[in-house]
Amino acid sequence: MNARRLVQTIGAAAVGLLICGVGLAADGHWRATAQRVAAAIDDVQAKFAAGDTAAARSALTEAYFGRFEDSKMEAAIRKEIGGSRAVEVEGMFGNMRKAIKAKDAETVQQTADSLRQALAEDAKALDAAGVPAEVYEVNR
């Protein structure tokens, strides 16, 4: 292989890697995190629809603490988008908990839909801003 062909091959490979990198950024960490939280919300709704409000409340606690907070998405939203948005999203979880307790199916559905949409929008903004998965480190 001559030098020119080698440079072309390396150049094509570099472009390919860049394109793959752009694809990964478009499907970034926060979008995947939002999808995991949304899946947990789906589980909440399924348990609520089955009439098991205790299990729905428990699943909501897991969705909030186990998926949303543990993933540091709440911290990323607070730091990069703003405290008022973080409070708004946290409030949606609280409203859903209240709706489950009141056995208000319409509000559970509306709140779940709003929450999934908010998470998707925020994840898109976080990924576009290049916010790293480790938004902060504890005790530093």
Side-chain angles (χ1 to χ4, degrees):
M1 180 180 291
N2 67 30
R4 183 176 184 165
R5 182 70 183 140
L6 180 60
V7 169
Q8 288 175 335
T9 301
I10 292 171
V15 169
L17 288 173
L18 287 173
I19 290 170
C20 288
V22 169
L24 290 174
D27 295 330
H29 171 77
W30 297 112
R31 191 165 298 162
T33 300
Q35 290 169 348
R36 285 190 297 275
V37 177
I41 292 166
D42 293 344
D43 185 48
V44 171
Q45 285 187 279
K47 287 175 172 46
F48 179 78
D52 193 345
T53 56
R57 285 193 312 267
S58 179
L60 184 62
T61 298
E62 171 59 25
Y64 180 76
F65 290 108
R67 303 271 176 106
F68 181 64
E69 278 209 343
D70 279 359
S71 70
K72 299 183 183 175
M73 187 167 190
E74 185 272 334
I77 292 169
R78 184 173 304 283
K79 182 177 178 186
E80 299 296 327
I81 297 173
S84 62
R85 178 58 168 191
V87 169
E88 179 184 357
V89 173
E90 289 172 337
M92 290 181 203
F93 280 99
N95 291 340
M96 195 165 177
R97 181 183 44 79
K98 291 174 191 170
I100 291 167
K101 185 176 181 181
K103 298 182 181 177
D104 181 349
E106 184 177 336
T107 301
V108 168
Q109 180 65 52
Q110 290 172 347
T111 305
D113 291 344
S114 295
L115 186 52
R116 280 190 287 268
Q117 181 178 352
L119 292 168
E121 289 170 1
D122 292 352
K124 183 177 179 181
L126 293 170
D127 282 337
V131 176
E134 293 298 320
V135 175
Y136 66 91
E137 292 184 34
V138 179
N139 297 327
R140 288 204 177 193

